[in-house]
Amino acid sequence: VPRDLADGFVNNKRESYKFKFQKIFDQEAKQDAVFESIAKPVAECALAGYNGTIFAYGQTGSGKTFTITGGAERYSDRGIIPRTLSYIFQHLEKDSSKVYTTHVSYLEIYNECGYDLLDPRHEASKLEDLPKVTIMEDPDQNIHLKNLSLQQATNEEEALNLLFLGDTNRMIAETPMNQASTRSHCIFTIHISSKEPGSATVRRSKLHLVDLAGSERVAKTGVGGQLLTEAKYINLSLHYLEQVIIALAEKHRSHIPYRNSMMTSVLRDSLGGNCMTTMIATLSLEKRNIDESISTCRFAQRVALIKNEAVLNEEIDPRLMIIQLKKVIHELKDELAMVTREQRREELTPEELLQLDELIKRFLDDPDPESTLDVGADMRKVKHSFNYLKVYVERNLAGLRNVWRTDMDLRNSCKIRNKTLTELKGMLKGYQVEGVIERTGSYRNWSAEVICM
Ligand SMILES: Nc1ncnc2c1ncn2[C@@H]1O[C@H](COP(=O)(O)OP(=O)(O)OP(=O)(O)O)[C@@H](O)[C@H]1O
């Protein structure tokens, strides 16, 4: 920032700023060089099962879209997304040791609302008529996006066609500052899952390639109405992004305000989570844009301080696990059949059951206490024998219980009758001794008691 004393005022602004970055590309840098040193390492990690994110941040017109998607004029101008797709599919073709599945999704966040850029209704419908992509969070705080389609791409051509469809659907509005300025944030995601043949362990990774909306200040753009609203939303979401970045850079900060905006919610893992994240800061070298350029560098410096922890995303697929276990059972059955020289089925046949029942009956009827029941080394027969004996014992015990019950009832009833007889005899004795009039009441009461019993 030069001090211009000739203009007659003292400029107290700082004159020089120093920033340190991992890599700096000048105006002459070619797209392939950017891909080699920025995107290729992240794509390799995604292929190995780690999440990756590359996002471009900078003021309008500084080259974010050119870097992420590329220029349309020359083939050599293609940007990070088509080059990454090409690299990934070349790798998948070469690697026959694993089975890969690739899907892509393309999300646009415009005025804090999410839209599916791969929705085929995009071209024919107005933006407000399209279903909005909404964020849902599961109990483990994982983010899921409702209404965002995942399109399978089996080769590079299919994936590029999806990218082209998404780019065509992208919101474009013109501002006095940039005739074709993108006013929305776009997140192109490549979902890769891989597994070794016969294994139930699946590796899943996501590679987000993000083109953020321009970061210039509202006042400078000189717009009003709809465009002013857009600019405010863009500024607000970039402000929330900055807040998240500041919070992450601060040590011992417990709350990170991811939920403030859709973009920070979607990129939650990319910012301070399970992800290898690379930020590209794009700058305009024109003198009038120096403030914006300093602000972009400051932001990038803060982002560079964040430490992410990327972990290998491996999980067991229950469906594949069942298939694998069924295979193991089948193999074990074959092995058993080889040992016992008998092919096992799930159930015993009716003939086998009859034979077994006869064997058990003979065993039970045998009065010899030393007799044994030998059904062989077949778990199905052992189980059936135990069930048979259980039912047998239960039936016999029930019979015994019935005998005991009848016996008890009989004895109780005899006891009552004996007691009644003794009392009757006693009453009769008293009546005979003490006279009729005195004992009549007692006698009646006593009969009432007997009736009630
Ligand atoms: N490295 C480059 N080489 C050649 N042309 C470039 C380069 N970077 C940007 N451009 C051109 O500059 C113009 C603006 O670039 P671009 O659209 O990528 O900016 P942007 O930062 O994405 O803007 P916005 O914030 O509006 O999305 C485009 O016409 C683009 O082709």
Side-chain angles (χ1 to χ4, degrees):
V1 185
R3 290 162 200 258
D4 203 348
L5 284 174
D7 282 352
F9 62 87
V10 179
N11 183 357
N12 284 329
K13 276 188 175 176
R14 262 177 78 175
E15 265 187 3
S16 67
Y17 290 82
K18 277 189 184 159
F19 299 101
K20 208 174 161 188
F21 299 111
Q22 240 172 332
K23 183 98 188 158
I24 296 166
F25 298 95
D26 62 19
Q27 304 96 299
E28 305 303 320
K30 296 281 170 277
Q31 296 281 50
D32 58 344
V34 175
F35 170 77
E36 283 291 322
S37 57
I38 303 290
K40 202 167 148 185
V42 185
E44 269 162 10
C45 288
L47 283 166
Y50 294 90
N51 291 338
T53 298
I54 300 171
F55 70 95
Y57 177 97
Q59 79 175 106
T60 292
S62 57
K64 295 182 296 295
T65 308
F66 188 84
T67 309
I68 296 290
T69 310
E73 278 173 30
R74 282 177 299 266
Y75 183 70
S76 58
D77 280 350
R78 68 201 199 286
I80 283 175
I81 301 180
R83 283 172 192 269
T84 305
L85 287 173
S86 178
Y87 181 78
I88 286 175
F89 282 104
Q90 269 173 29
H91 177 94
L92 303 195
E93 271 168 32
K94 270 190 249 158
D95 185 7
S96 54
S97 67
K98 290 197 188 88
V99 182
Y100 288 95
T101 321
T102 35
H103 289 84
V104 299
S105 62
Y106 207 171
L107 170 70
E108 177 180 45
I109 302 172
Y110 173 69
N111 287 2
E112 243 341 73
C113 293
Y115 298 96
D116 181 0
L117 282 174
L118 303 181
D119 188 331
R121 290 165 289 183
H122 223 296
E123 273 176 282
S125 320
K126 279 189 201 161
L127 203 61
E128 50 272 27
D129 296 335
L130 288 169
K132 288 191 177 62
V133 175
T134 47
I135 293 177
M136 294 196 299
E137 204 176 309
D138 68 18
D140 296 329
Q141 295 195 322
N142 294 315
I143 297 290
H144 302 275
L145 297 169
K146 199 180 156 201
N147 291 332
L148 182 70
S149 63
L150 268 188
Q151 312 269 353
Q152 188 164 8
T154 52
N155 53 43
E156 187 185 338
E157 196 191 338
E158 279 178 24
L160 285 176
N161 282 341
L162 289 166
L163 171 67
F164 181 70
L165 171 75
D167 282 340
T168 314
N169 290 332
R170 210 166 153 176
M171 265 298 302
I172 290 177
E174 292 185 347
T175 69
M177 203 167 183
N178 190 330
Q179 290 304 297
S181 171
T182 46
R183 316 301 308 149
S184 56
H185 310 294
C186 289
I187 306 175
F188 184 85
T189 309
I190 309 166
H191 305 252
I192 306 170
S193 74
S194 67
K195 72 171 198 80
E196 278 167 21
S199 163
T201 309
V202 185
R203 284 184 184 176
R204 290 181 214 281
S205 55
K206 278 184 280 185
L207 176 51
H208 294 306
L209 302 168
V210 189
D211 184 1
L212 296 175
S215 63
E216 70 290 335
R217 292 179 189 109
V218 178
K220 202 172 180 181
T221 53
V223 293
Q226 172 69 9
L227 292 174
L228 181 65
T229 313
E230 287 174 0
K232 278 181 181 166
Y233 271 115
I234 292 163
N235 274 329
L236 199 61
S237 62
L238 290 174
H239 164 73
Y240 287 136
L241 175 66
E242 202 163 347
Q243 277 195 340
V244 167
I245 304 291
I246 290 169
L248 283 166
E250 276 177 26
K251 275 185 191 160
H252 316 299
R253 179 86 180 247
S254 57
H255 176 69
I256 310 292
Y258 289 113
R259 287 198 189 136
N260 279 349
S261 80
M262 184 164 195
M263 201 226 321
T264 47
S265 298
V266 176
L267 295 181
R268 186 189 184 129
D269 254 353
S270 314
L271 309 163
N274 168 23
C275 195
M276 315 262 300
T277 304
T278 305
M279 173 184 170
I280 301 171
T282 54
L283 306 176
S284 156
L285 294 183
E286 280 176 43
K287 210 171 162 186
R288 62 191 167 102
N289 290 325
I290 192 106
D291 283 349
E292 295 291 349
S293 299
I294 291 168
S295 137
T296 302
C297 287
R298 272 207 191 115
F299 184 76
Q301 199 80 99
R302 279 208 198 105
V303 172
L305 292 175
I306 300 170
K307 283 196 170 57
N308 274 10
E309 244 176 76
V311 292
L312 197 61
N313 301 305
E314 255 183 358
E315 59 185 54
I316 306 267
D317 187 329
R319 213 168 28 89
L320 294 173
M321 194 68 181
I322 291 168
I323 295 171
Q324 209 182 30
L325 288 175
K326 274 187 178 168
K327 206 174 144 225
V328 172
I329 290 171
H330 194 75
E331 282 167 5
L332 286 173
K333 273 183 182 171
D334 284 350
E335 251 176 69
L336 196 65
M338 275 172 74
V339 175
T340 59
R341 298 209 179 106
E342 199 183 321
Q343 192 63 43
R344 295 276 159 89
R345 285 176 305 279
E346 289 293 316
E347 303 287 339
L348 291 164
T349 62
E351 294 82 57
E352 282 173 322
L353 283 171
L354 256 172
Q355 277 173 8
L356 190 58
D357 287 355
E358 278 303 313
L359 194 71
I360 303 168
K361 266 183 214 153
R362 274 207 298 280
F363 164 72
L364 289 170
D365 292 344
D366 192 344
D368 182 2
E370 306 262 301
S371 70
T372 52
L373 174 64
D374 186 1
V375 293
D378 184 338
M379 270 318 282
R380 299 166 308 165
K381 289 186 180 172
V382 173
K383 271 188 192 164
H384 180 79
S385 305
F386 272 108
N387 281 343
Y388 189 103
L389 290 170
K390 193 180 173 191
V391 173
Y392 179 83
V393 171
E394 267 174 2
R395 265 191 209 146
N396 283 303
L397 271 179
L400 271 175
R401 269 192 226 110
N402 282 342
V403 171
W404 289 334
R405 184 165 299 133
T406 327
D407 188 42
M408 282 286 284
D409 289 352
L410 219 75
R411 269 187 272 168
N412 281 343
S413 140
C414 280
K415 263 189 198 165
I416 292 167
R417 273 161 212 239
N418 278 342
K419 194 183 160 210
T420 317
L421 209 65
T422 320
E423 278 172 347
L424 263 169
K425 276 181 187 167
M427 295 292 282
L428 212 60
K429 248 189 205 168
Y431 177 73
Q432 280 165 357
V433 175
E434 288 165 23
V436 178
I437 299 165
E438 271 180 55
R439 301 308 305 164
T440 311
S442 306
Y443 181 74
R444 280 202 186 123
N445 285 346
W446 174 80
S447 4
E449 268 175 43
V450 172
I451 292 160
C452 288
M453 269 171 72

